[in-house]
Amino acid sequence: MKRILIALITFLLLTSLASAATLQVGPKLHYKTIQSAVNAAQSGDTIYVNAGTYKEYVSVDDKHLIFQGQKTGNKYLYPSVSGFCFDPYPNTGSGDVNGFKITNGGIFYGGYGHNIVRNNYLTNCYIYTQGQPCSNNVIMNNQFTNAGITLYSESYDNVVTGN
């Protein structure tokens, strides 16, 4: 009985020490592309992207990730990327996108809701949410040029403000 109790306490202690990681992306860092950081990340991790142009369309499935564009103080440096797709199949990809310049590809959410899209510049693309599970999203303080927001009919209780 004593061994089981010690093993249980050890397990609980080790799991309580586990925390979300921050993966950094940039030309001189371990992750040179955003997608390579996504592939290495675990659900709940933050991917911090240094300023620059990333010629990629980032695809996320089976995890919730936070994407943070580089900031200096309170000023965003807006790394540029084609877009983000939070895969609708099997409805498990989700995430937050903050501080990017997004061109041509946009942001597509087809799975879980409770996503946050804020402080981005979107050009020639859209933010899409699709399906009932993709509800309760916050879309705020984004700048749009030849772009917009599409909330499909089964996406409920979304907040769109300050765009």
Side-chain angles (χ1 to χ4, degrees), residues 35 38 41-45 57-67 84-97 107-117 128-137:
Q35 189 65 56
V38 168
Q42 300 295 317
S43 193
D45 287 352
Y57 188 75
V58 179
S59 182
V60 179
D61 58 353
D62 294 331
K63 29 186 136 168
H64 177 86
L65 299 174
I66 299 166
F67 294 91
F84 296 88
C85 178
F86 297 90
D87 196 359
Y89 305 104
N91 293 331
T92 56
S94 63
D96 303 344
V97 179
I107 303 174
F108 174 75
Y109 292 104
Y112 288 133
H114 302 281
N115 302 291
I116 301 171
V117 180
Y128 295 95
T129 65
Q130 180 175 323
Q132 186 173 359
C134 194
S135 297
N136 299 297
N137 302 291

Side-chain angles (χ1 to χ4, degrees), residues 5-86:
L5 184 58
I6 291 172
L8 180 60
I9 291 171
T10 302
F11 173 76
L12 292 174
L13 180 62
L14 290 174
T15 57
S16 70
L17 294 175
S19 63
T22 299
L23 291 77
Q24 294 194 342
V25 178
K28 296 181 180 179
L29 298 172
H30 181 73
Y31 300 103
K32 305 221 180 327
T33 67
I34 301 168
Q35 189 65 56
S36 65
V38 168
N39 296 344
Q42 300 295 317
S43 193
D45 287 352
T46 297
I47 297 177
Y48 183 87
V49 181
N50 284 353
T53 300
Y54 299 85
K55 295 181 180 181
E56 59 184 309
Y57 188 75
V58 179
S59 182
V60 179
D61 58 353
D62 294 331
K63 29 186 136 168
H64 177 86
L65 299 174
I66 299 166
F67 294 91
Q68 174 65 57
Q70 184 178 355
K71 286 175 75 172
T72 300
N74 289 332
K75 183 180 177 179
Y76 289 97
L77 300 180
Y78 298 101
S80 178
V81 64
S82 293
F84 296 88
C85 178
F86 297 90

